[in-house]
Amino acid sequence: EMHRDLYGKHVLVTAGPTHEPIDPVRYIANRSSGKQGFAIAAAAAAAGARVTLVAGPVNLETPQGVDRVDVESAREMLAAVEAALPADVAIMVAAVADWRAADAADQKIKKDGSGEVPPLALAENPDILATLAKSPQRPGLLVGFAAETENVVAHASAKRERKDADWIVANDVSGDVMGGDANTVHIVTKAGTTSLETMPKARVAAALIDRIADEIA
Ligand code: C5P
């Protein structure tokens, strides 16, 4: 059976980590694999949407029918997201680095043998989800993710309000989620919370896209 529930809709997805340069050969990163975001982009395309996937550095193949834009840093991700607007739905799955090196060096920082360590000052990155929420081109349905290890739904619910997202998908990362193939999520909306069983990331993606199609139909 062919599902075309999102035909004619533009769905924007962010996925993966970001890399924040310290100098030309070093960066700050995190353990996000990008698997859940890529699965969501694939599910949206399978539902008939036009999909823009803004991806941080990951080792994954582009899903069929998806327009992929590769970026490295949070600021590049924000620029690519803004360039992709307008969107009917935006699903921000990326694990964006909270901080970047305040002054990335143009040349490799040298170890000079003196034993002195270079300082590493950090600067706060833009919050892409919160920026979209305030944008004049705010997507019709704005969905964020929240990786939590405890009080998963309560924290996600607070995050939904703080960032002015429509939904937050609360991700229970107390187990072996990062890089793994299964996920346990709760879809937190203004109206309430739907908890899904632990299931493969592809099935989480399909369930979320079904729910989105119902919402915007
Ligand atoms: O606050 P926290 O990082 O847990 O929020 C997670 C949600 O916000 C995710 O949807 C993530 O993609 C998004 N986010 C973002 N830009 C940031 C930080 C988080 O879009 N700089």
Side-chain angles (χ1 to χ4, degrees), residues 14 74 77 91-98 125-130 143-148 159 162-163 168:
T14 65
M77 186 171 276
I91 312 169
M92 309 281 90
V93 196
V96 182
D98 292 314
N125 269 329
D127 189 308
I128 298 165
L129 175 61
V143 182
F145 267 65
E148 307 285 356
K159 191 162 292 180
R162 180 158 39 82
K163 298 203 183 197
I168 290 281

Side-chain angles (χ1 to χ4, degrees), residues 115-167:
E116 268 187 53
V117 297
L120 181 58
L122 300 178
E124 193 166 319
N125 269 329
D127 189 308
I128 298 165
L129 175 61
T131 303
L132 273 196
K134 292 189 181 72
S135 166
Q137 294 192 90
R138 187 190 198 281
L141 183 67
L142 180 57
V143 182
F145 267 65
E148 307 285 356
T149 57
E150 57 174 359
N151 300 327
V152 173
V153 170
H155 282 143
S157 186
K159 191 162 292 180
R160 195 192 71 79
E161 295 197 27
R162 180 158 39 82
K163 298 203 183 197
D164 195 24
D166 296 308
W167 299 359

Side-chain angles (χ1 to χ4, degrees), residues 100-117:
R100 65 177 180 273
D103 301 294
D106 294 332
Q107 306 295 331
K108 184 183 174 189
I109 301 167
K110 304 301 278 183
K111 186 167 67 175
D112 65 8
S114 71
E116 268 187 53
V117 297

Side-chain angles (χ1 to χ4, degrees), residues 40-130:
I40 288 167
R50 177 166 77 83
V51 180
T52 305
L53 171 60
V54 179
V58 295
N59 250 310
L60 296 171
E61 288 198 19
T62 308
Q64 203 178 349
V66 167
D67 293 325
R68 173 174 178 177
V69 182
D70 284 319
V71 298
E72 298 263 333
S73 69
R75 288 188 293 177
E76 288 169 12
M77 186 171 276
L78 174 60
V81 162
E82 289 184 322
L85 296 175
D88 298 288
V89 181
I91 312 169
M92 309 281 90
V93 196
V96 182
D98 292 314
W99 302 284
R100 65 177 180 273
D103 301 294
D106 294 332
Q107 306 295 331
K108 184 183 174 189
I109 301 167
K110 304 301 278 183
K111 186 167 67 175
D112 65 8
S114 71
E116 268 187 53
V117 297
L120 181 58
L122 300 178
E124 193 166 319
N125 269 329
D127 189 308
I128 298 165
L129 175 61

